[in-house]
Amino acid sequence: MTIQDFDAAMTRAAGRPRYLGGAGAAAADPRRLAANLAAIDAEIDAPAPGVLARILSRLGVGEGTVPLVTATPALRRSWIVAVTVAVLFALSAANSNTGDGVDRIVVFLTLAPLIPLVGVALAFGPRVDPTHDVALAAPIDGFRLFLIRALTVVGASTLALVIVSLLVPSGGVHRVAWLLPAVAATTVTMALSTRFDPRVAAATVAVGWLVIVTVAVSATDAAATFGATMQVLSLFVTGGGAVGLFRRRRRLDVMSDR
Amino acid sequence: MTAPTVAVDSIIHCYGARPALSISRLVFEGGSTAVLGPNGSGKSTLLRLLATVAELQEGTIRVDGLDPTDQLQRTAIRRRIGYVAQHDGFPTRMRVDAFCDYVGALKEIDSARLRRRWTTWALDQVGLSSVAHDRIGSLSGGMQRRLSIAQALLGNPDLLILDEPLAGLDAERRAEIANLFVTLAESVTIVCATHHAEELATLCHRVVVVDGGRPVFVGTPGSLAARAEGRVWETTTAVPAAVSRAIGPGRFRCVAHAVPAGESPVPPSVADGYLAVVHP
């Protein structure tokens, strides 16, 4: 997309050639001049970019990507509410447990990986995104848009969870044992979102995760449940989810009629 | 770049077990085409298929030879499309100009400055410049409809697919959008579903009438009107045996197989022709 394309549209709007011609001298179309003046006004009147947009620009995020990131919270403010409620619930549950330190952390470690799923479930899809059809008819790569949105919400919720982790009263190194399971659950949810509605995918993964943790905790202690085996398994699941997501990424370009 | 030709062949589209659309052959070749039809006749399904928003189930669509089922070709088609969906969907807390900026980014306009120029131009085209910094949720339904049209104009599309673009607009705005429509139709291909047979279909180069998921008429607005030749009359009471519509206090315009004895036929309009086609 270039200035020439823009000029072509100006010409089209005027319904006549851009230059009126005559004796070899090209006179500018008044409509085009008006459009240019309007463009200058737009530059002068343009609201200052928001804080997030400025931060992203300083981090080197491209001009074409910044609106896609900054629009995500505006599109789905509901996920912020959902994440906040979930984080508060996890924190409350972790602090209200009367067991020893490791037991307290189990509640948090069980719930924390589910929180990014809420964001993914509400960030993309025909039933939760009011602009889904507009985005679908646009040339942007559906996989890229999905990744941008998912990374935006997962990044925000992960940041919130890291802060919450520091507030959990005990648990030592286990306080961050939710991270790899969260990445695995999110990746699998994203992969399943290429086939199912993202909300269904997130709910399925959440139920699966809760079943696994419940069975594991009943069979062993918390330290073992979220220990090295769980972390290694999470890495494998993440790899499998990533492969599945990549292989089915093109479905994200046409996921309208499901 | 010339206005694209869109060819539809042997399409069958179903929602579950319910068939929604069945078209053997339809070509949209430059200029403007109005798609008329009763509610549920398949107009929006056809437009969603043309816009590559709905997935093709059976048959083929080609946009200047490009196949929307192929990923690369679909992207090439989408670079040429401006689409107004039947129902407006907006993030209502977003500002009008920020929304256009967002859609501009979706349309691969990478330069922020260029997106602002497009935004300014598109909002001016639909008369929304004065509310550019307002939140979308504060706009009336008609203004939101115009915003839908504005976003479709971003990025210089040469195939405009507009589903009920005049819905919810007042008379003045309908006239403005119709004027814009006529101007754009000189250089782009427009396919437009509408219920405004007189206001919009009359302005189009071609009319397609869809009924029961099938095209039952393809031709010019004049030839559609001609379908009701000798079948239209005006009277003071609604006639149960005819399709009657009120046109003023105590005045009805009727369309039937023939003008009854004692009544005088009147010149048919496009709307009369449409009624004659869907009520043969």
Side-chain angles (χ1 to χ4, degrees), chain A residues 159-181:
Chain A
L159 183 65
L161 281 168
V162 167
I163 294 169
V164 170
S165 301
L166 299 175
L167 299 176
V168 172
S170 60
V173 72
H174 278 99
R175 285 191 289 195
V176 291
W178 56 270
L179 190 54
L180 284 179

Side-chain angles (χ1 to χ4, degrees), chain A residues 38 41-42 45-47, chain B residues 93-101 116 119-124 126-136 138-139 143 147 150:
Chain A
D41 283 345
D45 295 340
Chain B
R93 301 181 64 147
M94 197 183 260
R95 282 197 332 262
V96 168
D97 56 351
F99 175 72
C100 288
D101 190 53
R116 278 198 291 276
T119 297
T120 304
W121 174 78
L123 293 179
D124 178 56
V126 299
L128 287 181
S129 300
S130 61
V131 295
H133 302 323
D134 292 2
R135 290 195 187 279
I136 296 172
S138 71
L139 303 184
M143 292 167 112
L147 179 57

Side-chain angles (χ1 to χ4, degrees), chain B residues 9 17 21 37 70 85 87 105 124-125 170 180 219 234-235 255 263 269:
Chain B
D9 268 304
L21 197 63
D70 175 85
H87 301 293
D124 178 56
Q125 294 301 303
D170 59 48
L180 174 64
E234 291 180 1
T235 181
V255 179
E263 300 286 354
S269 65

Side-chain angles (χ1 to χ4, degrees), chain A residues 200-239:
Chain A
V200 174
T204 304
V205 172
V207 169
W209 167 251
L210 290 175
V211 168
I212 290 169
V213 171
T214 304
V215 170
V217 167
S218 63
T220 180
D221 62 19
T225 300
F226 296 98
T229 306
M230 171 73 82
Q231 304 303 318
V232 171
L233 273 176
S234 296
L235 278 177
F236 277 110
V237 171
T238 301

Side-chain angles (χ1 to χ4, degrees), chain A residues 88-102:
Chain A
L88 290 175
F89 176 69
L91 190 58
S92 168
N95 281 307
S96 64
N97 192 298
T98 55
D100 61 32
V102 175

Side-chain angles (χ1 to χ4, degrees), chain A residues 2 18 20 23 31-32 53 57 76 107 109-110 120 125 148 162-163 167 176 184 194 204-205 221 249:
Chain A
T2 63
R18 184 191 312 163
L20 302 177
R31 180 77 186 227
R32 183 175 178 238
S57 296
R76 300 301 333 157
V107 178
L109 293 180
T110 303
V120 173
I148 287 171
V162 167
I163 294 169
L167 299 176
V176 291
T194 62
T204 304
V205 172
D221 62 19
R249 67 191 184 284

